[in-house]
Amino acid sequence: MSVVLDDFLQIRISDSKGLLHAKWLRSVSSEELRIGLQHIKDVINARGISYWLADARNLQSLPLTDQKWVLQEIAPLLVSSNLQKIARIISNDIFCYISFEEFVKKLKGTLQVAIDLEQFTSEEAAMAWLMLTD
């Protein structure tokens, strides 16, 4: 199943693998980011998703206001889901990498999240880490 949310987010689901593949199609506003993440969270919970492949190569690093929103509104609901691993694909921008690593520290420290989160620069490496390659 594949869904495009407006013109900024594409979601593909593989129920047989328990995989949600979300690809941000362009840089987004805070409002679009929140709409997209809310939709992703709803799909993860409704479909019992175990693995989330997040292609964020078109996104910038999250502003602090959006980080706080994710920590308050999205993260607690993901903790109670079936989600086991999140693989995030990023560009080679070291600032985005470091920013997300700091965010993950906050997430794990605040909510005691047991979900494994890693960042990659290619879809192939991310899928291999998720152990979902054929």
Side-chain angles (χ1 to χ4, degrees), residues 50-83:
S50 298
Y51 306 101
W52 175 7
L53 179 64
D55 188 336
R57 287 178 278 197
N58 290 321
L59 295 183
Q60 306 298 316
S61 58
L62 291 181
L64 286 177
T65 55
D66 288 332
Q67 288 183 28
K68 287 179 183 177
W69 180 85
V70 170
L71 286 172
Q72 292 172 347
E73 301 296 325
I74 301 297
L77 299 168
L78 295 179
V79 170
S80 63
S81 73
N82 291 333
L83 201 58

Side-chain angles (χ1 to χ4, degrees), residues 17-22 37 40-54 70 74-88 100 107 112-118 129-130 132:
K17 293 181 179 180
L19 173 69
L20 178 141
H21 181 176
L37 287 175
I40 289 168
K41 178 205 58 118
D42 291 344
V43 171
I44 287 170
N45 286 320
R47 303 293 277 259
I49 298 295
S50 298
Y51 306 101
W52 175 7
L53 179 64
V70 170
I74 301 297
L77 299 168
L78 295 179
V79 170
S80 63
S81 73
N82 291 333
L83 201 58
Q84 298 172 23
K85 289 184 173 183
I86 301 172
R88 184 173 187 251
F100 188 74
L107 179 66
Q112 307 299 312
V113 173
I115 299 168
D116 289 330
L117 296 111
E118 293 290 337
W129 179 76
L130 289 171
L132 296 174

Side-chain angles (χ1 to χ4, degrees), residues 118-130:
E118 293 290 337
Q119 296 189 90
F120 303 90
T121 56
S122 75
E123 185 172 332
E124 295 77 19
M127 288 295 286
W129 179 76
L130 289 171

